[in-house]
Amino acid sequence: MATAATAPPEPATTPAHRDGNVLRWLAAHTVSLVGDSVYFVALGWSAQQAAGPAEVGLVMAAGAVPRALLMLGGGVLADRFDPRRVVLGSDALRCLLILSVAAGIALTAPALWILVAVALVFGALDALFVPAIGALPPRITSPGQLARVTGMRSLSMRLSQIAGPPIGGLAMGLGGTAATFAVAGLLFALSLPLLLTVRIRPLAARGHARPEPGTVGQDLLDGLRYIARHRLIGPLVAVGAVCELGLTGTLNVGMVLLNAERGWGASGYGWIIGSFGAGAAAGATLLAVAGRLPRAGLVLAGTLLAASAGAATVALVPALWTAAALAAVTGLSAGVFGGLSSTLVQTAADPAFLGRVTSVVMLTMVGLAPLSYPLVGAAIGAWGAAPVFLGCGAFACLGVAVVLACEAVRRAELPRRDPDDSP
């Protein structure tokens, strides 16, 4: 007999925001994300105490290498095994790692090589955790509620970004780096019992019987071929990659340099980034409340166009308040675009490939996007902010062209709400 934690839930007829199973998953994910933020505060502060500024950058970047290199393998494991087990296992190992680091730092000052090793191991565990947690939404709710769950997850990510650093700073002020690592580890520990109570349902593979798993390399190639040949997922992954390359470096690196160029100061930068975050949160809220937007493919193209245009023109306006308003519009459009794209991918993907699809989507975010950072910085140093922002916005608009040229994406629709669903 199945246990309460593994028994498939009844067919979902309750809106996601009232579904206890979804809310338990969301709470676990949020707590884990806050733990991530606190961990990065502790890691950065420990590196600053152990070495100089260059070494701090090395430590903070170390975890990105295994995360990017192993992400696709994490997707294979999520498909080969129960993704809930992969989430639980990787989260438990992260908890043990960070609590062990906290105990070690309480006894002696950390050496730089230890911090680099911790960052590398944590990045490797993240490469398992991220694809598996991304593969869970279709298993905890019905297709008609996926857009809501995506919006709620985006709000959870924004909340963790707001709450995590202050919690880390408070722990640092009260107990130092050991206490901050301990708080991060305890947050990971708190997410585990919540994840244990989440019930998942089995999803049958579409079309053909699920093949016997081969080697990790064979499964990975199968997943990449599946994405490339899928008439909806392939173009959506390509559009997402173009969007990340065109907009992320502009918003993360470009905004800092634009702010310095205009002399708006730290408060001005805060207003712009805060406005973007507020807009993105509003976009996530729209999806969470509405549950479904008609003509999703055309809305996808429209919101990507608005986000690209907003990012391109923010460097052309002279006043801070205008730049902040454009940043809010950009954030709102990017939030809706990201939520729609994620929902369409998850509903279209064969469950047998969902972990690998999720890993490729996440790799475009954590692997491709940072490649644009040095290019954007060097280009702004050579030509100034305005032409670079315009160029990056124009590049992101190539994604709009892909959406409009691909009939499957252009005509894509979100699943209709469940028959018994009510707001």
Side-chain angles (χ1 to χ4, degrees):
M1 180 180 293
T3 64
T6 59
E10 295 298 320
T13 57
T14 305
H17 60 283
R18 295 189 213 155
D19 187 337
N21 198 48
V22 171
L23 294 178
R24 288 191 297 274
W25 170 82
L26 186 67
H29 191 30
T30 304
V31 169
S32 184
L33 288 171
V34 174
D36 282 340
S37 295
V38 175
Y39 156 75
F40 281 111
V41 170
L43 185 68
W45 193 260
S46 298
Q48 182 270 332
Q49 291 180 323
E55 288 78 7
V56 172
L58 171 65
V59 171
M60 298 301 288
V65 176
R67 189 180 296 113
L69 293 177
L70 301 176
M71 184 76 72
L72 297 180
V76 172
L77 292 180
D79 284 334
R80 184 174 291 194
F81 304 105
D82 179 353
R84 180 172 162 274
R85 292 181 181 176
V86 177
V87 169
L88 285 167
S90 57
D91 213 23
L93 290 173
R94 295 196 306 173
C95 174
L96 291 174
L97 172 69
I98 300 308
L99 289 179
S100 298
V101 173
I105 291 178
L107 298 175
T108 182
L112 182 64
W113 70 269
I114 293 178
L115 295 176
V116 172
V118 169
L120 289 171
V121 174
F122 192 89
L125 293 173
D126 247 10
L128 301 178
F129 179 84
V130 171
I133 197 74
L136 280 181
R139 297 173 181 268
I140 62 173
T141 191
S142 63
Q145 293 297 317
L146 267 179
R148 271 196 179 133
V149 172
T150 300
M152 293 162 68
R153 184 185 180 189
S154 298
L155 282 175
S156 135
M157 295 172 66
R158 295 292 168 186
L159 175 62
S160 69
Q161 292 167 354
I162 294 170
I167 292 174
L170 179 61
M172 187 71 66
L174 294 177
T177 52
T180 311
F181 273 114
V183 168
L186 291 173
L187 285 167
F188 294 139
L190 178 60
S191 70
L192 290 172
L194 291 169
L195 286 169
L196 281 168
T197 64
V198 174
R199 296 171 295 127
I200 64 171
R201 58 179 182 174
L203 297 176
R206 299 169 189 163
H208 304 288
R210 181 169 181 163
E212 289 296 321
T215 66
V216 171
Q218 289 170 340
D219 285 357
L220 176 56
L221 288 175
D222 287 344
L224 294 176
R225 280 194 289 264
Y226 171 78
I227 293 169
R229 295 170 180 171
H230 198 287
R231 64 191 190 95
L232 180 61
I233 296 175
L236 283 175
V237 170
V239 169
V242 169
C243 177
E244 291 291 336
L245 285 171
L247 298 183
T248 305
T250 307
L251 297 172
N252 288 348
V253 177
M255 284 296 185
V256 175
L257 300 176
L258 173 65
N259 189 72
E261 187 178 284
R262 297 295 170 84
W264 287 331
S267 63
Y269 178 73
W271 273 107
I272 293 174
I273 296 302
S275 297
F276 178 87
T285 303
L286 174 63
L287 278 180
V289 172
R292 184 179 187 274
L293 298 178
R295 299 179 183 246
L298 293 179
V299 174
L300 195 77
T303 51
L304 178 54
L305 179 61
S308 303
T313 56
V314 72
L316 303 178
V317 298
L320 173 60
W321 70 268
T322 313
L326 280 173
V329 171
T330 303
L332 173 65
S333 303
V336 175
F337 165 79
L340 282 177
S341 178
S342 176
T343 306
L344 287 171
V345 166
Q346 288 196 324
T347 54
D350 188 313
F353 292 94
L354 191 52
R356 281 164 284 184
V357 170
T358 303
S359 70
V360 171
V361 171
M362 293 306 300
L363 184 61
T364 64
M365 300 173 64
V366 303
L368 283 182
L371 297 178
S372 65
Y373 292 179
L375 297 177
V376 169
I380 290 178
W383 302 309
V388 175
F389 272 64
L390 285 171
C392 289
F395 180 81
C397 282
L398 293 176
V400 180
V402 172
V403 172
L404 296 178
C406 179
E407 183 178 6
V409 181
R410 190 175 67 248
R411 296 179 177 274
E413 292 284 359
L414 294 174
R416 296 196 174 274
R417 290 185 182 182
D418 306 307
D420 298 330
D421 180 20
S422 58

